[in-house]
Amino acid sequence: MLANTIVLNATRAPVTAATIFQSDTAELTRFLTPELKEGRNVLKISDVSGAIHPDSPRLSGAPDGVRVVDVVCHKKAAGEDPSIEVGAIMKRGKALYAEREVRRQQVILLDDAARMKMRQISPELAGGEGILEFVERYGQRKLALQRALQNLDEEIGALERKLVARKGDASALIIATVVADRDVKVSLKLTYLVSGVTWRPFYDLHATTVDGQPCDDISMRYCATIVQCTGEDWNEATVTLSTTDAQAQRQLSVPVLRPLKMGVADGRVPANSVGALLGQSPAAPMLETSGPATAATTAPPLVQTSSAVQGSISASHVPRSPFAPLEHSDLDSRRRNPLEFVRQMSISRRMNVPSPPSPSPPPPHPPAPGPAPTPGSPVTALPLQTPVHSVSSLANTPSRSALSVAYRIDGDVTIPSDGEEHQLTVALLKFKTKLSYTCVPRQSPNVYIVSKVENISKYDLLPGTVNVYMNDSFVMKTSIKFISVNEAFDCVLGVDTSINVTYRQDEKTAHGPRHNFADPQKTTTRTMVTTIINRHNHDIPELIVRESIPLSSEEDKVNVILRKPAGLASAKDGQIILDRVETDDGQTVHAKVRWTEVLDGNGGEKDGLFEWIHAIPAGKKVSFEAQWDVKSPSEARWAEQTVYVKSS
């Protein structure tokens, strides 16, 4: 019995749902409604994304009496015909190109006829009515031809831009065998995985001020940037963003536990260790010497120049339309990959450069977000990103499972296969924050407005870039790490330019007497004075001033003794003591001082990092003083060094 063949075009069954994973992969869903005959039916579904995973197509939703017995995915080779859409564009373009050539020939013939006519006219008849009428008719026909040529050029250019703008191709074919026990019209759900789709989160944090003072209420727009080059446009589809790595899930397995045995250690580095492979010794702390005699040096950045821009472009090259008749030298390129050949010809015509001999590589993936800044570190204001396409939507409550979190975007979303960045709003979040002001005068004279935000929403905040806006004006760009629900994080809102900071260092050295059986010693007293002036017309409720005391070095026989803040040397991590600070009117007030919080094993007493916490009244000046003695051999030339520790 012969099978009933049903040909379906995927473009007539648009994508209804797309779930995008964090692995350059998405799952697409569309519904097919074939009319089946009793017995064996073969469904040929054409114009499916060429980026499809061949083993992923699934047909489901068959009613009783209907069975899907086989599904095969066929990806067209480079020499096969392009998709129906591309083929239609090519056919239309060739027709327009042929018409344009005819119009050009008409212009040439019209000019030749006019010259012949003028040579046949005698001088005494040159000003007659017949001549004037001929000139008028010639002008009208010439203008009509010029307008027609202009319209043809515009239409051909639009088709070329459409070909160039389209990323990916819809060249795959899915063949499914379905057996039915009766004639029936069914609705089948087709799902499959495709490559060429990425999404990454980013955030717009909006803060406001009242009478020049930041408010405690802030809002955050949770956004996602989506790029797709599948060759299939998503028109009014339901989009879900998943934190699952689809590639990792497909290759996931429980690690195998290997047996162990004891052996004698001989000090050799295992052959498979990273250090042995790279020829490196164990890493030592990175030190940077600070002081007036040491200049910081920075290695110049490495710059790579693309080989594509190193060659010269011939000015005599004449660009050619992809719809023009092919020369013999172009036939092999056309056969290898017709769609890529069309794109190269289109780009060549627009840029007036020769078409490249081989297809160019696909665009790179969007860069991963940078590391989050550590509290108190200087923050650099960056320019806004290149404008991207924006789609505004809101998401439902995230769907959680043991493996991932998924965010379903409310409303239908349209994302063409153009390789451009499209922005979607996932959610609008409201937060209550605690504001503080932080400065690190040893490193920078700036005072940073820091907002401590608690994530009380239902959304986990994934690592990503944060664009900070104050009163709807862009301030700076920063980033966050993964923030789970109910977890707090610090976000710098900007620099307060109305708080002035000065930092002064004094040093005095006294040499001890010489002894017969001991090296002479010297004591250097270093004093650091930080002066803060609040030029606001409102009080600063909490200002954090951070300072560091250098650590002693037993190896170099250098001992450091903390004198001020008084009592801090005997305090433990987390203990707050009161320190006497001076104001501009000569009064002495008490400020809180403590060792900094220990985060991931860094900070606190063991690293010599401490901070004052104090309110600064409007228009007032407060000075904080730190002092320590450095005892060392008289001949020793010591210097303070910055130790860089690993951050998580």
Side-chain angles (χ1 to χ4, degrees), residues 353-386:
V353 298
S355 60
S358 60
S360 58
H365 300 301
T374 56
S377 60
V379 179
T380 304
L382 299 177
L384 282 169
Q385 293 179 332
T386 304

Side-chain angles (χ1 to χ4, degrees), residues 456-518:
I456 58 175
S457 71
K458 299 178 181 179
Y459 297 86
D460 291 328
L461 305 182
L462 304 178
T465 302
V466 180
N467 302 310
V468 179
Y469 295 85
M470 184 69 73
N471 296 329
D472 292 331
S473 296
F474 178 78
V475 176
M476 54 168 289
K477 187 185 295 288
T478 181
S479 60
I480 60 173
K481 299 180 180 179
F482 178 84
I483 307 296
S484 62
V485 175
N486 296 325
E487 184 180 356
F489 64 97
D490 290 337
C491 184
V492 178
L493 300 183
V495 174
D496 194 321
T497 57
S498 296
I499 303 178
N500 293 350
V501 179
T502 58
Y503 188 66
R504 188 180 80 251
Q505 304 182 51
D506 295 325
E507 184 176 300
K508 182 175 65 175
T509 301
H511 291 269
R514 290 182 175 271
H515 300 282
N516 292 333
F517 303 103

Side-chain angles (χ1 to χ4, degrees), residues 405-466:
V405 180
Y407 306 101
R408 182 177 177 274
I409 306 300
D410 271 354
D412 295 331
V413 178
T414 296
I415 302 179
S417 177
D418 55 6
E420 300 291 339
E421 292 188 347
H422 297 264
Q423 291 183 359
L424 279 74
T425 298
V426 177
L428 296 175
L429 310 178
K430 299 288 185 179
F431 295 125
K432 268 288 188 182
T433 66
K434 180 182 179 182
L435 295 177
S436 64
Y437 296 76
T438 303
C439 70
V440 188
R442 178 182 286 268
Q443 301 292 337
S444 170
N446 295 326
V447 175
Y448 300 94
I449 306 174
V450 181
S451 173
K452 192 172 190 64
V453 184
E454 183 179 359
N455 182 17
I456 58 175
S457 71
K458 299 178 181 179
Y459 297 86
D460 291 328
L461 305 182
L462 304 178
T465 302
V466 180

Side-chain angles (χ1 to χ4, degrees), residues 4 108 163 189 239 244 276 280 298 316 328 336 345 441 464 468 496 525 543 589 606 618 627 646:
N4 176 40
I108 295 174
L163 283 176
K189 179 182 177 181
V239 174
T244 302
Q280 297 176 346
T298 304
S316 62
H328 292 289
R336 284 194 302 270
M345 289 294 97
V468 179
D496 194 321
T525 301
L543 174 68
V589 296
K606 73 176 185 63
Q627 188 180 84
K646 289 185 177 181

Side-chain angles (χ1 to χ4, degrees), residues 570-589:
S570 58
K572 302 300 181 182
D573 286 333
Q575 182 181 353
I576 296 178
I577 64 172
L578 297 179
D579 182 39
R580 296 165 60 91
V581 298
E582 295 183 359
T583 63
D584 54 352
D585 52 8
Q587 295 182 355
T588 300
V589 296

